């Protein structure tokens, strides 16, 4: 199944050797916090509600951008968590 490019896995995904090196407690914590989502083949997550993407940004006026920034609608984008 294909997902929109704005859907992402949580940052800091663990794969390969990093996963095999985890202790059982570390593995359980990583799974709980979503750091194994990509490794386990889980679907990516949609952006947080109300968050805007780069595509949204390109279509906005400077005033709209300022307002959206003040409302926190670029938080995910500014953290690098979104497309």
């Amino acid at each position: 199944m294909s997902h929109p490019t704005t859907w992402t896995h949580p940052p800091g995904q663990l794969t390969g050797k990093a996963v095999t090196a985890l202790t059982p407690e570390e593995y359980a914590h990583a799974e709980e916090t979503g750091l194994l989502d990509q490794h386990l083949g889980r679907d990516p997550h949609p952006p947080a509600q109300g968050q805007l993407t780069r595509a949204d940004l390109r279509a906005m006026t400077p005033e709209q951008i300022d307002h959206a920034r003040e409302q926190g609608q670029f938080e995910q984008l500014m953290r690098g968590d979104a497309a």
Side-chain angles (χ1 to χ4, degrees):
M1 173 183 223
S2 179
H3 298 282
T5 58
T6 57
W7 288 35
T8 60
H9 289 96
Q13 291 294 296
L14 301 174
T15 58
K17 289 184 181 182
V19 173
T20 61
L22 296 174
T23 66
E25 294 82 18
E26 291 170 331
Y27 187 93
H29 182 281
E31 185 174 12
E32 207 173 279
T33 58
L35 297 180
L36 297 178
D37 285 359
Q38 191 171 6
H39 177 73
L40 296 173
R42 293 181 180 150
D43 290 338
H45 304 279
Q49 187 174 7
Q51 292 295 295
L52 300 172
T53 65
R54 285 186 183 95
D56 297 320
L57 181 62
R58 284 191 286 274
M60 296 171 72
T61 67
E63 293 79 17
Q64 290 170 323
I65 293 169
D66 282 341
H67 184 267
R69 183 186 49 75
E70 290 168 3
Q71 299 298 312
Q73 292 180 291
F74 290 120
E75 296 291 323
Q76 196 171 22
L77 182 65
M78 294 173 71
R79 286 193 315 264
D81 294 347

